[in-house]
Amino acid sequence: MIELARKNFILKRQDGAAGMMDLPRGCAKLVYGSPPYPNAERDYGVWKTSEYIDRIAPFIDGALNVLSDDGFLVINVKANREKKTAKTSPKRSLVVEKLAIALEERWHMSCVDIEIWVKGNPVPTGLRCACQDAYEQNLWFSVSPKWAIDIDSIRRPYESHSLETYSEYEYKPRSNGLSYVRKNKTITPNPLGALPTNIITGGVSAKKGRHQAMQPLYLPEKYIKACTKPGDLVVDPWVGSGTTGIAALELGRRFVGFDIFQEFIDIAQNQLEQIKEEDVNG
Ligand SMILES: C[S@@+](CC[C@H](N)C(=O)[O-])C[C@H]1O[C@@H](n2cnc3c(N)ncnc32)[C@H](O)[C@@H]1O
């Protein structure tokens, strides 16, 4: 059993699925990670579409072992296309959609949302049979069918045109209570900002070199803020260069990460040690 007491982070060279089985049951509030992408040819191998659900299944079982009853799982992933042949175009794989359905039907989790990360600077694919690939999916699931998130922590600045519209019109609630139609009520903007959308827009990570598939910090940050409180434990079973750990520690959460390559564990260890030192020195 991995000992968690009195440490704010642990990194281990171990299969992430097995590692999550070694953690105490129900110890984590969030499992966030980006697995090897379907069909992506990386130094760490290829998880083919045809075997993808079988390969990721032990990780979902592991996540459900570590997650508390009010916990969340977020998987950031994108399906690469099938290879073209003499008779077929490189069709887009639907395995991510199949995984989302399996999370509900096989693992009985509840879908908070499938959020879209729109990449401002996507890597060119050179495709001529479909449009440029410019987004990834964040499968956001809850262990419990009734969940609570901290929506205020992820509010965004209002668009200036929304503020102008609010100041010019009066609204009245619809009878279903969910939205407003014009007349009778002035909307006062929330001082904490507008409600967040399920679309995240931004560049892919600018820092190259540490890892082939390094994430930008703003991705894990959103879900860590929304799903956890300071002191809660976040687990990433595919830690890579440690981006999730950096976000977790900077937000005052605890962190456990696994990777099968010592090289990545060393990179992540170095990153997280620096945060510790900065905290101590600061
Ligand atoms: C998409 S990358 C994650 C990148 C990471 N989010 C970052 O920002 O650097 C996937 C990672 O999963 C790791 N991996 C592959 N198979 C694994 C396994 N069975 N257990 C744990 N990690 C694994 C790879 O070594 C790779 O670092």
Side-chain angles (χ1 to χ4, degrees), residues 19-265:
M20 288 191 288
M21 285 299 181
D22 286 348
L23 287 169
R25 220 179 143 68
C27 62
K29 188 73 198 298
L30 172 67
V31 172
Y32 176 95
S34 190
Y37 288 6
N39 290 338
E41 291 178 11
R42 299 288 188 200
D43 293 346
Y44 41 82
V46 183
W47 286 23
K48 288 193 193 131
T49 305
S50 53
E51 59 199 28
Y52 201 75
I53 303 287
D54 287 343
R55 290 197 77 157
I56 208 166
F59 289 86
I60 311 300
D61 293 337
L64 286 171
N65 178 59
V66 292
L67 282 172
S68 52
D69 291 344
D70 58 355
F72 296 89
L73 169 67
V74 179
I75 300 177
N76 159 251
V77 66
K78 175 180 85 81
N80 288 294
R81 290 174 179 271
E82 309 292 352
K83 281 209 160 65
K84 69 175 177 184
T85 67
K87 291 190 175 164
T88 59
S89 297
K91 72 174 179 182
R92 183 218 196 263
S93 164
L94 294 177
V95 74
V96 175
E97 285 77 5
K98 286 181 188 161
L99 174 59
I101 291 167
L103 285 168
E104 182 175 272
E105 292 186 349
R106 174 170 167 185
W107 284 284
H108 308 294
M109 301 190 83
S110 297
C111 186
V112 177
D113 213 333
I114 296 178
E115 301 210 324
I116 301 296
W117 171 31
V118 179
K119 298 185 282 189
N121 53 343
V123 180
T125 53
L127 276 181
R128 295 290 181 271
C129 62
C131 295
Q132 172 80 8
D133 214 351
Y135 76 86
E136 301 193 3
Q137 284 155 291
N138 296 333
L139 310 183
W140 185 0
F141 281 74
S142 161
V143 174
S144 167
K146 187 169 165 62
W147 65 82
I149 62 171
D150 182 358
I151 202 93
D152 283 344
S153 69
I154 55 171
R155 283 179 179 270
R156 66 197 161 98
Y158 282 96
E159 304 285 348
S160 56
H161 56 79
S162 304
L163 292 174
E164 280 164 28
T165 313
Y166 291 167
S167 64
E168 284 168 15
Y169 292 124
E170 290 191 331
Y171 296 80
K172 71 175 179 184
R174 284 187 198 278
S175 53
N176 64 12
L178 292 176
S179 56
Y180 288 92
V181 293
R182 200 177 293 182
K183 298 283 185 240
N184 285 2
K185 185 181 191 295
T186 304
I187 294 185
T188 313
N190 188 313
L192 298 173
L195 285 170
T197 70
N198 56 6
I199 295 173
I200 304 172
T201 309
V204 296
S205 187
K207 289 184 190 167
K208 293 281 171 216
R210 292 211 304 261
H211 193 281
Q212 278 184 305
M214 203 173 91
Q215 291 209 317
L217 210 51
Y218 59 79
L219 277 189
E221 264 174 6
K222 174 176 183 178
Y223 302 100
I224 292 169
K225 283 181 182 172
C227 300
T228 70
K229 293 189 171 54
D232 282 345
L233 181 70
V234 178
V235 175
D236 186 344
W238 307 283
V239 79
S241 63
T243 314
T244 311
I246 296 170
L249 294 195
E250 285 184 349
L251 291 166
R253 278 62 167 173
R254 296 173 300 132
F255 180 70
V256 175
F258 302 97
D259 206 289
I260 40 173
F261 289 105
Q262 188 61 45
E263 180 193 344
F264 296 147
I265 292 293

